[in-house]
Amino acid sequence: AYFKKAISEAASEWATHKSLIDTTGKGIRRSVPPNFAYFHVEFGLDRGFAHHIEDEEAFPTDFGRQVLEGLLESDEAGIPLRSRR
């Protein structure tokens, strides 16, 4: 529920399309069209949520990390951030 809430709240800042895509039972490949940028979180083998990223420049690269730090109630939870470049 924590990631679902965070994705829904974040979507209002960066998105105009459907904010939350439920990937439960379908997986990410059948839920998000090819060549779309997205953020995805999965719980177990068949439950998850995705969010289509419309503006990759505006979407924070450390969004997942920020959500985890909020969940752990720590600004410095020791979660490493690796650069994609």
Side-chain angles (χ1 to χ4, degrees):
Y2 204 86
F3 269 100
K4 184 176 182 178
K5 180 181 177 194
I7 291 170
S8 295
E9 289 174 358
S12 65
E13 293 181 44
W14 304 294
T16 57
H17 292 91
K18 182 179 177 182
S19 61
L20 191 67
I21 302 165
D22 189 351
T23 63
T24 301
K26 299 179 286 184
I28 190 68
R29 291 180 186 234
R30 285 189 235 134
S31 301
V32 177
N35 302 317
F36 270 45
Y38 60 88
F39 174 82
H40 180 243
V41 61
E42 191 167 294
F43 310 100
L45 298 175
D46 66 347
R47 287 201 61 210
F49 300 107
H51 168 67
H52 172 232
I53 300 172
E54 295 176 23
D55 185 354
E56 292 180 58
E57 296 295 321
F59 195 83
T61 57
D62 62 344
F63 176 75
R65 179 183 179 188
Q66 291 173 6
V67 174
L68 286 174
E69 287 175 345
L71 178 64
L72 298 172
E73 298 178 354
S74 170
D75 291 338
E76 295 292 327
I79 303 167
L81 176 64
R82 293 190 179 142
S83 175
R84 291 176 51 186
R85 293 176 170 68

